[in-house]
Amino acid sequence: MKLPPEDDAYISEEKQKEILQKYDPESNTRDLGGFIKHVVFFGLLAFSLFQLYTAIFGQYTAYIQRSIHLGFALSLIFLLFPAFKRKGERHKVAFYDYILALLSVGVGLYWPIMYDDLVFRIGRVTELDLIVGILAVLLTLEATRRAVGLPITIISSLFLAYAFFGPYFPGFLRHRGQDLDSVIQLMFYTTDGILGTPISVSATFIFVFLLFGAFLVKTGVGQYFNDLAVSLAGHLIGGPAKVAIFSSALQGTISGSSVANVVTSGSYTIPMMKKLGYKKEFAGAVEATASTGGQIMPPIMGAAAFLMVEFIGGITYWEIAKAAAIPAILYFSGVWIMTHFEAKRLGLKGLSKEEMPNRKEVLKKIYLLLPIVAIIFFLLIGVPTMHAALYGIVLTIVVSAFNKDTRLSFKDMVHALVDGARTALAVAAATAAAGIIVGVVVKTGLGLSLANGLVSASGGSILLTLFFTMLAAIVLGMGSPTTANYVITSTIAAPAIITLLMLDEPAGAAVPIVVAISAHLFVFYFGIIADITPPVALAAFAASGISGGEPIRTGFIAAKLAAAAFIIPYMFVLSPALLMIDTTWSELTWVLITAFAGMIAVGAGLIGYWYRKVTWIERIIALATGLALIYPEGIYSYVGAVVFIVLWAIQWMARDKKVPKTSEA
């Protein structure tokens, strides 16, 4: 990509790191040197080797596998993540962190060492068990605070408090309360707490896919995504914005962090957008919106998608990815359409031929995408998810050898293992903290109580229940990673949605897969979209750090560009045809045509331009038409189609025939 370093908008690696550390807690690590640097390096390497060994040769029993995973993560977090953001803690490990790291090792080894004894007296907690269990809870909370952030730590702590003080809560929230022994036994000596389903998924599927992403990065595929996007979309109207969308959708396959996606691809695309003529805030918003969408883009979605497989049960990861495909395509189509209309409104062209990379040279490296295509194929034919990721890693190493510029040396592979483990630390902490929440919900019956309360508060209205759930997911998502957000909302709000969708079914009837997936995808979507929803829109704020735009304004524009993400989840709950479950090809074709036309109408209504400037009355009609088209049921879609054709004809006949100008910016 031909972005000159002397350009005043060029983003240096130091600036990228600064932005990441400011907006992404997972990147706020120490810069260590000397002996401790090597200790951490080999600790991370050992973590990856342990995970690879168990992925290849079979996992240990649940308690041993998960506790070792937890011990690795906690001890390394205390060595890598400072307790406070003081400059003095950036380059050395405080004495108390060595103590916390050693205690974490002890906690991680307690189950492997004491396994027979613990299993023999299951249900009874000795004094030593109690001490180790208390340490496990406290160390998990502190590690989560450092690596993930304060909000999820506070939420987990509040749930713990709720377990103890249940009798003092009002109404349906009241329960009989738990004593210390019961809570600690639940948290560390059952698979309903810290060692529960969330960390189980982290210790299996998620870790191996993070390693796959780390190996891909070492081949230079991240830069290749940018080059490929520029070669295919850079020449189009408003090209750099479309490059950002294309590139960020691809980046989502190797990164589960919206902020990391923004900084990785945005350091290239945002300066290009500004140079072409897009305003600072709009350029940042495009990148933030596209990067956030990376987590909902199959085949490899955010870490929470792997949790969804376990929480729903009885389905494969491929079924989740397939169901998410059309909503994800509509999301990115909506962003693409709105950037196109904005470029036309401003009279912007694409990149000149001199600014474009040589397409033939770019396409020569298309083999770098083979591992991603292969994983799709493996999942499609039913290969177990973890094995698909392992095969993807092997194939990445093989295809990297096709060219000396991408070939992975032994050193590169070792560093990929270390980088993958480093990325997994925050996920492990978040899933352990989420396990605390799940444990309390299960033990106290809070999930059922809150679900019933939510249904009661909405008066049995599915739309109101969806609205309340959306608000809860967005508020939680403003301070929590997607993984923890999904765990909370899927255990509290998703059951309420399922309850209302099952009202017409006989009591005790099994929940249909389509109902379960639609409810869980609903909370999954809004947990992710919180990253670009003001007032706390971390992805948008990170983008503004690159663009130089005003953060809150960038957030509001990003939320507007992501309009599809606020609409589509309602639609696939109310009309599951969008999820490609139990539908025919004719129904699916109609859904795709009407939904895509609906996104064009919504985009024109929000941007205020189509073939010419759109009046306010036309904008309102266009928005209403778009909503009717996206909702593919009965009379709505047919009426929407007729109105859409009329609007299109009016716009076409009165189109602005001026030749777009090239920006001099």
Side-chain angles (χ1 to χ4, degrees):
M1 187 178 302
K2 300 182 179 180
L3 179 66
E6 63 271 15
D7 192 301
D8 60 2
Y10 176 74
I11 306 300
S12 65
E13 289 188 12
E14 292 76 13
K15 180 66 174 177
Q16 293 178 41
K17 186 175 180 180
E18 180 186 329
I19 293 169
L20 272 174
Q21 289 182 339
K22 183 176 181 180
Y23 296 109
D24 185 13
E26 298 175 25
S27 302
N28 191 30
T29 56
R30 291 180 169 114
D31 295 319
L32 297 173
F35 177 72
I36 191 60
K37 178 181 179 180
H38 297 296
V39 170
V40 171
F41 181 89
F42 285 105
L44 291 167
L45 180 60
F47 192 10
S48 280
L49 291 176
F50 166 76
Q51 292 293 155
L52 276 180
Y53 176 83
T54 55
I56 296 169
F57 298 105
Q59 301 166 39
Y60 293 106
T61 60
Y63 290 111
I64 293 177
Q65 178 79 19
R66 299 172 195 181
S67 63
I68 292 177
H69 182 81
L70 179 69
F72 265 120
L74 295 182
S75 57
L76 289 165
I77 284 171
F78 288 121
L79 295 178
L80 265 175
F81 291 80
F84 308 101
K85 292 185 178 181
R86 294 192 293 257
K87 288 185 178 180
E89 295 210 16
R90 287 282 181 199
H91 304 288
K92 65 177 182 178
V93 179
F95 75 92
Y96 51 79
D97 282 337
Y98 287 113
I99 297 172
L100 293 176
L102 289 173
L103 289 173
S104 299
V105 172
V107 165
L109 292 176
Y110 192 68
W111 261 104
I113 292 172
M114 303 289 290
Y115 182 76
D116 291 338
D117 190 36
L118 289 169
V119 170
F120 178 75
R121 53 182 170 76
I122 195 77
R124 292 185 295 112
V125 178
T126 66
E127 187 174 343
L128 179 59
D129 293 343
L130 188 64
I131 292 171
V132 174
I134 291 172
L135 280 174
V137 172
L138 295 178
L139 290 170
T140 295
L141 290 173
E142 173 58 13
T144 303
R145 182 190 70 83
R146 297 187 187 195
V148 184
L150 191 58
I152 182 59
T153 310
I154 293 174
I155 294 169
S156 300
S157 301
L158 290 175
F159 271 82
L160 275 176
Y162 176 74
F164 288 112
F165 301 111
Y168 303 100
F169 281 80
F172 67 86
L173 293 176
R174 184 181 293 115
H175 66 93
R176 63 188 180 89
Q178 306 292 324
D179 59 26
L180 181 62
D181 283 15
S182 298
V183 171
I184 295 305
Q185 181 184 341
L186 171 72
M187 288 299 143
F188 196 62
Y189 299 102
T190 72
T191 52
D192 287 326
I194 291 173
L195 302 181
T197 299
I199 203 168
S200 168
V201 179
S202 173
T204 52
F205 309 125
I206 295 175
F207 196 102
V208 183
F209 267 95
L210 290 174
L211 282 181
F212 170 66
F215 273 84
L216 272 180
V217 168
K218 287 297 179 184
T219 66
V221 75
Q223 178 60 51
Y224 182 70
F225 286 156
N226 290 327
D227 291 342
L228 180 63
V230 173
S231 67
L232 296 178
H235 66 287
L236 302 174
I237 293 174
K242 293 169 182 175
V243 167
I245 297 165
F246 190 5
S247 174
S248 297
L250 292 172
Q251 289 283 359
T253 63
I254 59 174
S255 170
S257 167
S258 302
V259 175
N261 286 350
V262 166
V263 176
T264 301
S265 56
S267 59
Y268 295 96
T269 59
I270 290 175
M272 282 200 302
M273 283 187 271
K274 289 171 60 182
K275 187 176 182 181
L276 189 70
Y278 283 108
K279 293 181 179 178
K280 296 177 182 179
E281 288 80 9
F282 192 88
V286 169
E287 181 57 53
T289 308
S291 291
T292 299
Q295 291 190 71
I296 61 175
M297 188 68 183
I300 304 169
M301 301 156 68
F306 296 99
L307 281 169
M308 201 180 302
V309 176
E310 298 297 314
F311 276 34
I312 294 176
I315 62 171
T316 64
Y317 180 78
W318 175 252
E319 289 176 278
I320 296 291
K322 186 181 76 170
I326 291 179
I329 291 169
L330 291 178
Y331 176 89
F332 282 102
S333 296
V335 183
W336 183 288
I337 288 164
M338 281 190 263
T339 57
H340 177 76
F341 288 158
E342 178 72 6
K344 289 181 67 176
R345 187 180 70 83
L346 295 174
L348 305 180
K349 285 185 176 180
L351 297 175
S352 65
K353 187 176 181 180
E354 291 73 26
E355 295 173 298
M356 295 281 290
N358 186 307
R359 184 173 295 182
K360 289 184 179 179
E361 292 299 318
V362 171
L363 292 178
K364 283 182 181 178
K365 292 186 179 181
I366 196 72
Y367 61 84
L368 289 174
L369 302 183
L370 280 176
I372 299 172
V373 175
I375 279 190
I376 299 173
F377 174 73
F378 293 143
L379 293 173
L380 180 61
I381 64 174
V383 172
T385 308
M386 191 158 58
H387 290 167
L390 285 173
Y391 299 155
I393 292 172
V394 173
L395 193 56
T396 300
I397 296 171
V398 172
V399 300
S400 74
F402 292 175
N403 188 299
K404 65 179 182 179
D405 294 332
T406 62
R407 189 172 299 138
L408 294 178
S409 64
F410 178 76
K411 182 179 179 181
D412 290 330
M413 288 186 273
V414 169
H415 279 276
L417 292 171
V418 170
D419 292 345
R422 188 188 298 264
T423 305
L425 296 180
V427 176
T431 51
I436 293 175
I437 296 167
V438 173
V440 172
V441 169
V442 170
K443 188 72 172 179
T444 63
L446 178 63
L448 182 60
S449 298
L450 283 176
N452 291 336
L454 190 58
V455 171
S456 177
S458 66
S461 166
I462 184 65
L463 280 175
L464 276 178
T465 300
L466 293 175
F467 180 73
F468 291 150
T469 301
M470 176 191 75
L471 292 181
I474 288 175
V475 170
L476 287 169
M478 287 178 181
S480 305
T482 307
T483 307
N485 183 313
Y486 169 72
V487 169
I488 299 169
T489 51
S490 64
T491 53
I492 293 174
I497 299 173
I498 292 171
T499 298
L500 287 173
L501 292 176
M502 293 285 291
L503 283 179
D504 295 333
E505 301 294 328
V511 178
I513 292 297
V514 66
V515 171
I517 290 180
S518 63
H520 282 260
L521 273 179
F522 185 89
V523 299
F524 175 68
Y525 255 70
F526 284 112
I528 289 171
I529 213 66
D531 282 342
I532 51 172
T533 306
V536 185
L538 293 182
F541 292 175
S544 69
I546 298 173
S547 70
E550 203 279 317
I552 292 292
R553 179 167 170 75
T554 301
F556 277 110
I557 296 173
K560 181 176 75 172
L561 291 173
F566 291 94
I567 300 169
I568 293 169
Y570 286 89
M571 301 314 174
F572 62 59
V573 170
L574 300 173
S575 178
L578 284 172
L579 302 179
M580 292 193 288
I581 301 175
D582 299 331
T583 186
T584 64
W585 281 107
S586 59
E587 290 173 336
L588 186 58
T589 302
W590 176 248
V591 165
L592 282 171
I593 292 172
T594 57
F596 187 73
M599 291 314 306
I600 293 174
V602 168
L606 289 174
I607 296 298
Y609 196 93
W610 195 341
Y611 288 104
R612 59 163 172 78
K613 186 176 179 181
V614 181
T615 66
W616 276 105
I617 294 176
E618 289 175 324
R619 293 178 76 166
I620 294 170
I621 295 173
L623 286 171
T625 301
L627 293 175
L629 284 165
I630 294 171
Y631 182 54
E633 289 291 335
I635 193 67
Y636 295 104
S637 56
Y638 294 113
V639 171
V642 172
V643 178
F644 178 84
I645 292 170
V646 172
L647 283 175
W648 173 82
I650 293 171
Q651 282 283 316
W652 174 257
M653 289 186 291
R655 64 189 181 278
D656 187 349
K657 297 181 180 179
K658 291 186 298 183
V659 178
K661 63 184 180 181
T662 302
S663 171
E664 298 298 323

